[in-house]
Amino acid sequence: GPAAPLAHPAVASSGVRRRRAVTVGINYIGLKCRLEGCINDSHTFVELLTSDFGFDVGDIRQLRDDHSQGSPTKRNIVTALRWLVTGASAGDHLFFHYSGHGSQQADRDGDEMDGKDETLVPCDYQQSGMLSDDELRSILVAGLPEGVRLTVILDCCHSGTALDLPYKAKIQADGGLDLKKKAPNKLKGSSKAEVVLISGCKDDQTSADAGVGLAGNTSAAGAMTTAFRIVVSQNQSASYAGVLTEMRKFLKSNGFAQVPQLSSEQFLNLEVAFMPEARAAAASPPVALRPPVRKALSIGINYLCLPANQGRLSGCINDSDTMIGVLKDVFKYQDAQICRLRDDRHDMMPTKQNILASFRWLTQGASVGDELFLHYSGHGGRQKDTNGDEQSGFDDTLIPCDFQSAGQIVDDDLYAHLVQGLPRGCKLWVMLDCCHSGTALDLPYKLVVSSDGHGVRIVKAPSRRPGPNSEADVIMISGCQDDQTSADVQAGSLGSATAAGAMTTAFKNCITPTVTCHDLILNMRAFLKKNGFAQVPQLSSEQFLKLDTSFVRYGDKTDAANAAAAPLPMSPLANHPTASLAAMQPPHAVVPPISQLAAAAAGLHGAVLPQQPASARPPVVRRRRAVTVGINYIGMPCELSGCINDSHTFVELLTNCFGFNVADIRQLRDDHPQGMPTRRNITTALRWLVTGASEGDHLFFHYSGHGSQQDDRDGDEMDGKDETLVPCDYQSSGMMSDDEMRSILVKGLPKGVRLTVIMDCCHSGTALDLPYKVVSDGSALTVKKKAPERMPIASEADIVLLSGCMDNQTSADAGVGLAGNTTSAGAMTTSFRIAISKNQAASYKTLLTDMRTFLVTEGFKQVPQLSSEQFLDLEVPFMPEAQAPGPSPPVALRPPVRKALSIGINYLSLPANQGRLSGCINDSATMIDLLKSVFHFQDSQITQLRDDRHDMMPTKQNMLAAFRWLTHGAAAGDEMFLHYSGHGGRQKDTNGDEESGMDDTLIPCDFQTAGQIADDDLYSILVKSLPRGCKLWVMLDCCHSGTALDLPYKVFVSGNGKSVRCTKQRSRHDVPPAEADVIMISGCEDTQTSADVQGGSMGVSRAAGAMTTAFKHCLTPTVSCIDLLLNMRRFLKQNRYEQVPQMSSERFLKLDSPFVSYSGGAPLGSPPATANGHAASAPLHSGAAGGELDARISSLQQQIQEMRIHHHGSMSHQGTPYASPLRLPHHGHAHHGHHGVHGGLGSPGTPNHWGSHSAPYSPPMGGHHGFH
């Protein structure tokens, strides 16, 4: 039977001050939609509330449609709900139960994901209408004060989100219950009250009536009410998670499909009792016996006693400076309240003894109301756990500057010094920017984020410490998980002027006085992920943490405690740096030099991690100007209603969000005689907008009004129609065509200027005739380029157009109510406002996608279009003002150097039909000609390896040595080029970084004895250490070469070949990408082979590789990257080759830039000059004099010959590289690639995984050479 009721004294001890309830049961007596169990449900809740939870019958209002005095009409329900909340104050528990029909109606204010409001159905709904969730929220939630608890139980259909509460419980794959927060644009005005809703089903489900017999029911009842009764009767103290989980189990086991939902106004601790009356009485607030004290400690250790490349860091002292700035600006600490340790000051040395003493100073004498803050930036380590309290078997550690002699500080000591003795009522923030720091305080509560990033929960881990936990409010943000490392950021990256820790930089970027704990940690993770860092900051706490509270004031319990963080009295010990430390060690104590970092500190903060690359530097906005035009066509038959309002919207957005001054904005609108949008005035304003524009300017043009079309007179339109704007005097002065607008706005605009154009009008899709258009290929957004015959005269400016619809569509006016509009507005302008207000840093892709989604959701057919003058990186912010500042251009410390390496291997040591190729050495000669004629390299700058010259043999050792020569000592301004033509292979991936499970390889001439060169080695030698400001071209004419450098950016071409995108792939390297400009063209996809061309085919007089031939055929000094790639693919396809050349890069590639000068720098029409007027070259020996060609070649030949002899002994002459031919492995799954396709390298009968670059081969259909 049901559990015995709680005794009333126990109920009273819960702290509930006053209880009120409303319960509604509607059977719809006499109506066709009659139900049977709802009135019984209402009786059930009256009984539960009075018998089990201390409610008095006199404080419960019951409405049911079998009682004429309490009929549940819409008016009576509203009156009862107003009574319920009137006069509510902190400590009250209000309860509303409803059992009846639920329904849905069209959403009118845009706050519903499914476009439908949920409704309750009163008994007089046919006359008075239904009660929507917006009305319910307005009555019940909107004015409810902090400290009030409102419990709502809705046993009806379509009730999942019937109060539009922001947090929703969701079960994850691991069985855990997360809370998912609504998207910001769907949030209603928030309340500080504790509001909880349990609803009978999801929004798209129905709630069932249950007949007699279900779980002992003696009369009909609602299935959900029955489930609630069973669960709460069995355990009156059931938690939120327990009530929801058990209700769902009960319904499922009894054959009901409905799934009860739990949502809330605040972030919930799902493990506490659902009913406040069942909770243990809270302890009385602690009493402060003295004024509160504030102390902060910041530690930054660069390990300056270590050698530069053996553990020294560069950003930690800067991190300490940064955090002290945040403490003063955001947390309102005073200088006198802050202590710091740093290892560039002998009187503040962060030795182990000093760090522990500082920890004791920080927490000593802590009392109620005290606020303490610890920040640490330095190395973090791991060492074997000695007391068995770690699941991983390792303690996390902090690394003092004297760690080698004094040892590390383990997490057990950290907890004992910092947390264990803290009393209830004081607060401690801990920020650890170091490796292996995820659980460095072993705090019991940890934030867990769902795999999709939308759901969160606070999980309590079993305590691994003896004794009770501390009662203080302790919260820690650590830089990464226990098994991860925390990275350094180089100066100039991520907007940091100096070297810094990535986590501290993320914290500084995301912290505000009001940001919640939830938003802060997710924003930090998003910031780091966006910038290419793998580390995942962690959030943990000593008490359950309400994630929706402000991080800066996270432990405050009431508004009274939230008074502005005025500086509190400092501790008598707050002068610690000059008093306490002086007593700790002699004034000139110096840590002995340390030869290398101890093995226990193997996961270094940043020393062993390559520095994070700087993103391409966005233009600094120098000057802003804007023109906005809104035309309602007042008094005309074509009158509109929202365009002037749109113009006001953009003035507000530009000034409030993006730094435009009102004085720099010209507004034309037809309700203002001084600024009428006539054709002449619009033209004058646009000329003013662009006059005097120079690099760094941001110009903005917005138009809202009619758009139209007229006959195209110059043949540049696919549909034969020019797009037009319609001035207010169009009947007398005519319309403005896209050709005119392009002439005024685009034609003379200089490089480095950004022009943003937004057109909310009909037929506006290509209204500036920009060459690049963003299209959807079904799975992603790609960029399509106009056909050459349709291309206008190009501009070098950065011009972007966001238009309201396609050329053949119309743009709609939207009435009042759309997404909170209080006046009429354009649908497109409204969608832009919503999207950009939600995220001012929204990327091109996100902005366009969100606008389109909004319009589709709201029932509009128009599809906004995005086009541009230059090829866009769709992942960067749409508004330049929202882009993070980039680093300053790299400074060259010497004249730039140019080097080129070309390798051609015919495998002359192999039998003629078993792997020998014929065109690769010819390819090398062809490429050297191109390097000199198109790229303007000089002979002295080019090194060649080829296997018909004993002094240039492309052995594995020689190839690796040549790769190192190519990139050794690279600096800003250097240009390097690598070409390889030979066999390409595949071998099993040994480090798990390949999705296919196979590494791509290059095949040296001595591969059988020395092995192949894997893509990991290629990246490590060629790319990994290249500095910002240098360039490397790589051309690989071999099989299986598509991703042979594992570069992160890859060019994708749509199926019809008309649109492209440059997309960043998941990095397969355990290091941040290089900062150099690296671009690679490979001969085919990873799964394809690259073919040979026989002499006489494709216009070549001798054998050659098909890809090298295509490259030679398509390359010009000015051809763009995308045109080169597409032309090469077309060339090969026309000649019936199936291989598909690939293009990839280390950084985002502007595909419209010339390939020969692809990074956007000055064209290489003339080589960089040295003081004597000749191009700088780079010998293999760094000390060789430039220009001494004979000496250089002699030196290179001698070195290669020595390496060759050292590894392979003497070689025969007469062009035969080895005394005995190499024999290839015969195993069937070596997956060695082949530059051609057929002609095996194995013995007869062996499974053939090799082909021949130029081995004679006749295709089955005849006529073509190579692979089809």
Side-chain angles (χ1 to χ4, degrees), residues 104-159:
Q104 292 178 308
Q105 63 188 25
D107 171 34
R108 298 180 180 179
D109 61 0
D111 66 329
E112 298 284 350
M113 292 287 289
D114 60 0
K116 297 176 183 178
D117 278 336
E118 289 66 51
T119 62
L120 305 187
V121 184
C123 65
D124 63 339
Y125 72 95
Q126 292 169 316
Q127 299 82 32
S128 303
M130 296 185 286
L131 196 59
S132 74
D133 52 9
D134 294 338
E135 292 172 276
L136 286 173
R137 184 174 177 87
S138 176
I139 296 169
L140 288 172
V141 181
L144 219 51
E146 184 177 6
V148 173
R149 161 64 180 262
L150 170 64
T151 304
V152 181
I153 308 261
L154 300 180
D155 190 356
C156 59
C157 303
H158 312 297
S159 52

Side-chain angles (χ1 to χ4, degrees), residues 1101-1125:
S1101 58
R1102 52 187 183 173
M1107 179 266 211
T1108 299
T1109 303
F1111 181 73
K1112 176 186 176 183
H1113 180 86
C1114 301
L1115 183 68
T1116 70
T1118 59
V1119 67
S1120 67
C1121 296
I1122 187 55
D1123 287 343
L1124 176 61
L1125 180 64

Side-chain angles (χ1 to χ4, degrees), residues 309-352:
N309 294 323
Q310 297 185 31
R312 185 182 297 180
L313 302 177
S314 56
C316 301
I317 293 173
N318 297 332
D319 286 347
S320 178
D321 291 334
T322 296
M323 190 58 67
I324 288 173
V326 171
L327 285 169
K328 294 192 288 186
D329 294 340
V330 181
F331 289 80
K332 305 303 179 186
Y333 276 74
Q334 295 179 342
D335 282 315
Q337 299 168 328
I338 303 171
C339 167
R340 71 180 305 178
L341 300 179
R342 48 191 286 173
D343 61 339
D344 63 347
R345 287 279 300 274
H346 70 275
D347 57 342
M348 297 183 181
M349 288 297 288
T351 62
K352 181 175 181 178

Side-chain angles (χ1 to χ4, degrees), residues 209-230:
D209 244 350
V212 176
L214 177 65
N217 284 347
T218 58
S219 56
M224 180 267 204
T225 296
T226 302
F228 183 88
R229 175 180 64 79
I230 293 296

Side-chain angles (χ1 to χ4, degrees), residues 849-863:
T849 302
D850 286 355
M851 288 175 64
R852 290 178 172 179
T853 301
F854 174 87
L855 291 170
V856 168
T857 302
E858 297 297 335
F860 294 96
K861 294 183 179 180
Q862 67 193 78
V863 182

Side-chain angles (χ1 to χ4, degrees), residues 154-172:
L154 300 180
D155 190 356
C156 59
C157 303
H158 312 297
S159 52
T161 62
L163 281 182
D164 287 336
L165 301 178
Y167 291 93
K168 179 182 176 183
K170 182 180 180 182
I171 292 182
Q172 295 301 321

Side-chain angles (χ1 to χ4, degrees), residues 494-551:
L494 305 182
S496 178
T498 56
M503 179 267 208
T504 299
T505 303
F507 180 76
K508 177 187 175 185
N509 186 273
C510 300
I511 189 69
T512 71
T514 59
V515 67
T516 65
C517 300
H518 170 273
D519 289 343
L520 176 61
I521 193 69
L522 293 188
N523 291 346
M524 288 176 64
R525 290 183 176 188
F527 177 89
L528 291 169
K529 184 176 182 180
K530 176 182 177 181
N531 287 283
F533 293 92
Q535 68 192 78
V536 182
Q538 302 294 298
L539 176 66
S540 55
S541 59
E542 186 72 359
Q543 313 296 333
F544 179 83
L545 181 62
K546 292 191 68 175
L547 286 174
D548 52 351
T549 57
S550 162
F551 179 80

